[in-house]
């Protein structure tokens, strides 16, 4: 006999929570699920509405740390960039990372980055809306398309990166999706090796986190 809707929803909910908290010895049981009121689930929904912003911030800061780990930027610049990242308002219309070198920090570098946490709707292929957003951001990095929260008139003096969350659960393959999408840009967009090095300001570099 087919499993009823309530059982299916409960099983998926409980399983997801236990997967998230499995390393913290947390176990959410079906009895607890049954005690959550409709209002309680509404509160959870409100809290979870920020998930995309949370994921983007985490990936952004991991990218900044990687630049430092790869000795592309200094520890001081890393700290400044992470501080700026944490101060930026969610859903701001500027670049996800926009850092302009200044005289107070020797050898600092101009850096722009867009951070994409898209999960391919086709598991190995982005959907049309996802593709449009990614390609628009590539054009913005290459050509300095106007960003309402950015004061930049050009990006030519900046190192440019597009950062993807390397999600591989449930058969998803972000790297394959990106490879297929970037074919028309193969002369301007370069997928980096594991380490950020030998980059210039004429290309956009793809990094997986």
């Amino acid at each position: 006999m087919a499993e009823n809707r309530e059982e299916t929803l409960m099983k998926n909910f409980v399983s997801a929570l236990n997967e998230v908290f499995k390393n913290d010895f947390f176990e959410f049981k079906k009895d607890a699920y049954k005690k959550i009121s409709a209002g309680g689930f509404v509160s959870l929904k409100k809290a979870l509405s920020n998930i995309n912003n949370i994921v983007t911030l985490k990936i952004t800061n991991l990218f900044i740390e990687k630049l430092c780990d790869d000795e592309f930027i200094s520890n001081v610049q890393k700290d400044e960039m992470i501080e700026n990242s944490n101060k930026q308002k969610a859903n701001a219309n500027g670049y996800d990372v926009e850092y302009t070198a200044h005289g107070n920090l020797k050898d600092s570098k101009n850096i722009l980055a867009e951070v994409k946490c898209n999960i391919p709707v086709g598991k190995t292929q982005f959907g049309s809306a996802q593709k449009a957003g990614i390609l628009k951001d590539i054009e913005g990095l290459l050509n300095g398309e106007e960003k309402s929260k950015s004061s930049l008139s050009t990006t030519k003096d900046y190192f440019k990166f597009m950062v993807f969350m390397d999600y591989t659960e449930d058969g998803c393959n972000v790297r394959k999706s990106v490879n297929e999408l970037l074919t028309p840009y193969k002369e301007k967009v370069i997928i980096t090796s594991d380490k950020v090095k030998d980059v210039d300001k004429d290309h956009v570099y793809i990094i997986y986190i």
Side-chain angles (χ1 to χ4, degrees):
M1 185 174 68
E3 191 172 37
N4 68 44
R5 185 181 179 190
E6 175 73 11
E7 283 291 329
T8 300
L9 291 172
M10 180 170 59
K11 182 175 70 175
N12 291 342
F13 182 83
V14 171
S15 176
L17 282 182
N18 286 330
E19 178 64 24
V20 170
F21 294 107
K22 64 183 179 181
N23 294 326
D24 295 317
F25 306 102
F26 172 93
E27 184 178 3
F28 190 88
K29 298 182 179 180
K30 290 183 179 180
D31 288 344
Y33 171 93
K34 293 176 181 178
K35 293 177 181 178
I36 301 175
S37 66
F41 279 111
V42 170
S43 296
L44 280 173
K45 182 179 179 181
K46 289 179 180 178
L48 292 173
S49 67
N50 284 315
I51 284 293
N52 287 340
N53 294 326
I54 292 170
V55 173
T56 299
L57 180 60
K58 284 185 173 291
I59 297 299
T60 299
N61 289 346
L62 285 172
F63 159 67
I64 294 169
E65 289 173 2
K66 176 176 174 56
L67 293 181
C68 182
D69 291 342
D70 290 350
E71 299 180 346
F72 186 73
I73 62 173
S74 67
N75 273 298
V76 178
Q77 181 170 346
K78 177 199 73 174
D79 291 341
E80 285 190 5
M81 290 176 69
I82 288 179
E83 182 179 0
N84 293 343
S85 173
N86 290 335
K87 287 180 178 178
Q88 185 169 316
K89 291 183 178 180
N91 299 315
N93 292 323
Y95 297 100
D96 291 311
V97 176
E98 180 180 332
Y99 182 90
T100 301
H102 55 83
N104 295 330
L105 181 57
K106 184 180 179 182
D107 298 327
S108 57
K109 295 181 173 70
N110 295 333
I111 294 174
L112 290 178
E114 294 285 16
V115 178
K116 313 302 291 184
C117 298
N118 303 74
I119 306 301
V121 296
K123 294 194 174 182
T124 59
Q125 191 173 45
F126 292 118
S128 57
Q130 292 175 319
K131 290 178 182 179
I134 293 168
L135 295 179
K136 181 180 179 181
D137 283 345
I138 290 175
E139 290 290 344
L141 288 167
L142 286 171
N143 303 316
E145 184 176 329
E146 184 177 346
K147 294 271 189 177
S148 62
K149 296 295 183 181
S150 174
S151 59
L152 296 180
S153 58
T154 178
T155 64
K156 67 182 182 66
D157 296 323
Y158 286 74
F159 293 101
K160 297 171 277 289
F161 301 91
M162 179 164 278
V163 183
F164 286 90
M165 180 176 66
D166 195 12
Y167 186 80
T168 58
E169 301 295 325
D170 302 320
C172 289
N173 191 326
V174 172
R175 296 189 183 216
K176 182 176 180 181
S177 304
V178 171
N179 287 342
E180 292 181 0
L181 181 62
L182 295 182
T183 301
Y185 292 88
K186 59 185 178 181
E187 294 184 0
K188 280 293 184 180
V189 179
I190 297 174
I191 298 176
T192 64
S193 60
D194 291 336
K195 189 170 183 177
V196 178
K197 60 180 181 179
D198 301 327
V199 299
D200 58 47
K201 298 176 182 177
D202 297 321
H203 296 84
V204 172
Y205 293 88
I206 302 295
I207 291 180
Y208 296 105
I209 298 293

